[in-house]
Amino acid sequence: MRIGVLALQGAFIEHAAVIRRLGEEASEIRLPGELDKIDGLIIPGGESTTITNLIRSFNLLQPLKERIRGGMPVLGTCAGMICLAKRVSNSDTSHMETLALMDVEVKRNAFGRQVDSFEIDLPVPVLGEEPFHAVFIRAPLIKSTGPGVDILAKLPDGTIVASRQKNMLVTSFHPELTEDPRLHKYFLSIVASSGK
Ligand code: GLN
């Protein structure tokens, strides 16, 4: 399988390393034509305003929307999740134009100052019984989900931090920053079954 990692800004190198460690091909994506060569895409964490602006500057907006609407699996982590969301709430982002593909409302920088970065062992049932060590860095949360969206993980207080809508998988946290490859493996299984 050939996995592309959107390499405009943010933690793309770390995601590509995990994919390669799992024995699959990973390539950095910056040009629209490069999308033709991949079976799945990862949109990394970073700064969502920068990434969405660069998506436009690099003429990737329509090509990305078409591929993802056409069923190409996509994993969006942290800022990558914001890029995929249909609705983004937070005062300074009222004008933020995302890819607007996934039926979720996300809130940027959603955790208060003291906990704006934290780590927690999180139950994620689709990954098995063992909790997933989740790293949150100035993370967004999922405020609400539409009818076609499955909730995959919640914090102890009920905050939604991972979900899936068909070919789109998103997490508030950074699975590429831990040694546990289960989230990427789960994404690869979505890619594998989408090709059949
Ligand atoms: N705070 C960033 C944003 O709103 C996301 C942080 C991250 O991706 N680690 O875009």
Side-chain angles (χ1 to χ4, degrees):
M1 286 181 282
R2 297 157 308 173
I3 306 300
V5 186
L6 192 65
L8 303 176
Q9 191 263 338
F12 52 87
I13 291 171
E14 291 82 353
H15 276 291
V18 182
I19 296 299
R20 290 186 190 121
R21 237 191 304 135
L22 292 172
E24 302 297 338
E25 244 178 76
S27 58
E28 295 181 3
I29 302 295
R30 293 184 188 85
L31 302 171
E34 292 168 339
L35 291 174
D36 301 340
K37 295 175 276 183
I38 57 171
D39 308 305
L41 178 74
I42 299 175
I43 307 181
E47 192 53 46
S48 53
T49 41
T50 308
I51 297 175
T52 50
N53 285 336
L54 290 172
I55 283 174
R56 262 180 206 76
S57 316
F58 282 72
N59 296 317
L60 281 164
L61 186 69
Q62 286 314 320
L64 273 176
K65 282 187 144 187
E66 272 162 35
R67 275 302 307 273
I68 298 168
R69 277 206 193 107
M72 177 178 69
V74 60
L75 165 63
T77 61
C78 204
M81 170 169 98
I82 299 169
C83 293
L84 287 165
K86 280 197 176 162
R87 294 172 296 282
V88 180
S89 62
N90 175 318
S91 50
D92 62 323
T93 52
S94 46
H95 52 276
M96 186 163 155
E97 242 186 277
T98 66
L99 292 166
L101 293 166
M102 189 161 176
D103 195 5
V104 292
E105 175 177 0
V106 302
K107 185 173 177 211
R108 290 184 66 200
N109 303 326
F111 299 93
R113 253 215 197 133
Q114 273 124 42
V115 289
D116 69 359
S117 297
F118 62 99
E119 302 184 13
I120 189 170
D121 289 325
L122 187 73
V124 187
V126 290
L127 302 183
E129 267 183 30
E130 184 85 7
F132 190 88
H133 190 73
V135 179
F136 293 79
I137 304 170
R138 287 178 51 74
L141 61 75
I142 302 171
K143 261 179 104 173
S144 63
T145 57
V149 179
D150 293 324
I151 293 167
L152 303 185
K154 285 180 181 176
L155 293 176
D157 70 359
T159 304
I160 306 167
V161 290
S163 65
R164 175 177 174 185
Q165 183 177 16
K166 292 186 187 142
N167 56 321
M168 295 177 279
L169 174 65
V170 294
T171 65
S172 298
F173 52 89
H174 284 264
E176 79 286 7
L177 297 183
T178 49
E179 293 297 304
D180 188 341
R182 282 180 295 157
L183 198 282
H184 288 82
K185 273 191 184 162
Y186 177 61
F187 176 60
L188 290 174
S189 77
I190 297 172
V191 179
S193 53
S194 79
K196 285 173 192 149

